[in-house]
Amino acid sequence: MTSKHRLTRSFRTISALMYLANIAVSVHFAWVPQYLHILAGVTVALASTIMLFVAIESPSAIVDKLERSSVGIQLFTFRGRYMMDLFISLYLFAMPPWGVIMGTVTFSLIFGIRVLGMKQPDAFNEIFRQSDIESQSDSYTMESEYDTPVAERQ
C-alpha cells in the first residue's frame, strides 16, 4: 500500500472517529430536557451522522441518495465538507465542556486536511471530489495579467 493510500485511510479513520465523538457529545448535550439543548444537540447529531456517512462512504443507499441530490453532492467536495465541519464545530462550542474540546478537534482536522492538500495534492484529490465551482475557478486569470505598465498608458 502506498503512502498516499495510507494517508487518506488515516484521515478517513480520524474523521470517522471525530464524527462519532461529535455525535456522542451532542446526544449527551441533548439529553438535558431544555428546548435549546435538544434542538442544538439533535441538529449537530444529524449533521455529524450525515458527515460520518460521507467520510466512510457507507451505507451505499444513503451515499447514493446524497450523490444524486444537488446539495448532497457538495458534501463530497472540500468546500462542502469545510462548511459542514464549520457549522458542526460552531454548534459544538456551545456545548461545554466536551463540545468545546470536540469543536477544537473539528477545527484542527479542517486545517489539517488543508495542510494535507498543500503538501500532498494527490492524497487530497483522493479524499475529495472536484466541484463544478472549484473547476470553473481554475480557469480564471489574474487581473494583473491584463494590466499595462504606467509608461504605456500615457
Side-chain angles (χ1 to χ4, degrees), residues 44-114:
V44 172
L46 288 174
S48 294
T49 303
I50 290 169
M51 293 310 296
L52 174 66
F53 294 155
V54 168
I56 63 174
E57 295 182 352
S58 181
S60 60
I62 294 173
V63 172
D64 290 342
K65 190 169 224 166
L66 286 171
E67 287 176 336
R68 281 187 261 121
S69 72
S70 61
V71 175
I73 193 68
Q74 296 301 316
L75 297 177
F76 294 93
T77 66
F78 176 72
R79 186 173 291 158
R81 180 163 173 184
Y82 178 84
M83 294 305 294
M84 284 298 287
D85 285 348
L86 183 66
F87 168 78
I88 290 169
S89 61
L90 288 176
Y91 267 93
L92 284 169
F93 280 118
M95 303 178 186
W98 294 108
V100 174
I101 294 168
M102 288 312 300
T104 305
V105 169
T106 304
F107 265 135
S108 301
L109 190 67
I110 291 170
F111 294 117
I113 290 174
R114 189 63 198 148

Side-chain angles (χ1 to χ4, degrees), residues 11-152:
F11 264 101
R12 287 186 191 274
T13 304
I14 291 168
S15 295
L17 292 173
M18 179 196 66
Y19 289 127
L20 286 171
N22 288 348
I23 292 168
V25 167
S26 60
V27 167
H28 176 71
F29 187 77
W31 209 255
V32 175
Q34 293 178 357
Y35 174 72
L36 290 178
H37 282 246
I38 295 169
L39 183 66
V42 169
T43 302
V44 172
L46 288 174
S48 294
T49 303
I50 290 169
M51 293 310 296
L52 174 66
F53 294 155
V54 168
I56 63 174
E57 295 182 352
S58 181
S60 60
I62 294 173
V63 172
D64 290 342
K65 190 169 224 166
L66 286 171
E67 287 176 336
R68 281 187 261 121
S69 72
S70 61
V71 175
I73 193 68
Q74 296 301 316
L75 297 177
F76 294 93
T77 66
F78 176 72
R79 186 173 291 158
R81 180 163 173 184
Y82 178 84
M83 294 305 294
M84 284 298 287
D85 285 348
L86 183 66
F87 168 78
I88 290 169
S89 61
L90 288 176
Y91 267 93
L92 284 169
F93 280 118
M95 303 178 186
W98 294 108
V100 174
I101 294 168
M102 288 312 300
T104 305
V105 169
T106 304
F107 265 135
S108 301
L109 190 67
I110 291 170
F111 294 117
I113 290 174
R114 189 63 198 148
V115 169
L116 168 75
M118 289 187 285
K119 292 187 178 184
Q120 300 281 336
D122 293 337
F124 184 81
N125 291 333
E126 187 175 320
I127 294 173
F128 301 107
R129 298 178 188 167
Q130 188 78 6
S131 73
D132 294 336
I133 296 169
E134 290 168 354
S135 61
Q136 287 173 359
S137 67
D138 292 341
S139 65
Y140 292 129
T141 56
M142 298 299 290
E143 199 173 313
S144 63
E145 291 177 9
Y146 295 108
D147 285 349
T148 56
V150 176
E152 292 178 18

